[in-house]
Amino acid sequence: MTFQLPDPSTPFGERVARRLRDERLIWLTTVDAKGMPQPTPVWFLWDEASSTFLIYSRADAKRLVHLQQNSAVALNFDGNGTGGNIIVITGNATVSSDDPPADQLPTYAEKYRDFIARSYSTPERFASIYSVALRIRPLAIRGH
């Protein structure tokens, strides 16, 4: 079965669409060799055409070791602080050799332009540090 986002004409679907478009940070949870969840905040790009997430990772990140052992992941946005606005997406992650470096992907570079300038000086420097592209293929979404 192909993954589909919730209907954007519903309140939940509208919230999902807005957060995928506007949020800059999502939590990526992988599972380590001992079965312990390992959440990490990451930058992301929702690719509507392929219904996948694109995340760039450091080559030395533990998440890459985790994904070799178990490709199952969860993604979630921060809630509103009172238990609402919860969105959790589960799926599978793979290392992608099909995606260009972050500095060569205009939509990614534009979305994070200010963050990259503040912390990494240039998009090229960011791309050299976060050199591994990950594709997350969602399987299910839930929230309220």
Side-chain angles (χ1 to χ4, degrees), residues 3 6 10-13 15-16 19 75-79 83-90 140-144:
F3 175 80
T10 67
F12 180 61
R15 244 185 10 262
V16 169
R19 294 193 80 185
L75 295 164
N76 68 280
F77 292 110
D78 287 334
N85 204 16
I86 303 299
I87 299 170
V88 178
I89 300 160
T90 55
I141 186 168
R142 68 180 190 278
H144 55 87

Side-chain angles (χ1 to χ4, degrees), residues 66-86:
H66 301 164
L67 293 173
Q68 286 177 349
Q69 299 164 355
N70 184 347
S71 66
V73 298
L75 295 164
N76 68 280
F77 292 110
D78 287 334
N80 64 6
T82 60
N85 204 16
I86 303 299

Side-chain angles (χ1 to χ4, degrees), residues 110-123:
E110 178 58 29
K111 181 176 183 179
Y112 292 105
R113 179 173 32 102
D114 295 340
F115 290 54
I116 290 170
R118 187 169 46 248
S119 300
Y120 300 96
S121 301
T122 67

Side-chain angles (χ1 to χ4, degrees), residues 38-110:
Q38 299 294 326
T40 307
V42 295
W43 297 352
F44 73 97
L45 189 64
W46 171 248
D47 183 343
E48 198 167 334
S50 65
S51 294
T52 62
F53 289 86
L54 175 61
I55 294 169
Y56 287 97
S57 178
R58 294 175 67 108
D60 62 351
K62 295 281 189 204
R63 75 179 63 93
L64 298 180
V65 174
H66 301 164
L67 293 173
Q68 286 177 349
Q69 299 164 355
N70 184 347
S71 66
V73 298
L75 295 164
N76 68 280
F77 292 110
D78 287 334
N80 64 6
T82 60
N85 204 16
I86 303 299
I87 299 170
V88 178
I89 300 160
T90 55
N92 290 300
T94 57
V95 172
S96 171
S97 57
D98 296 332
D99 288 292
D103 64 321
Q104 294 176 25
L105 187 59
T107 51
Y108 189 92
E110 178 58 29

Side-chain angles (χ1 to χ4, degrees), residues 14-27:
E14 184 279 326
R15 244 185 10 262
V16 169
R18 179 176 35 82
R19 294 193 80 185
L20 288 173
R21 180 185 63 244
D22 297 344
E23 293 283 338
R24 299 291 184 264
L25 184 79
I26 198 166
W27 287 85

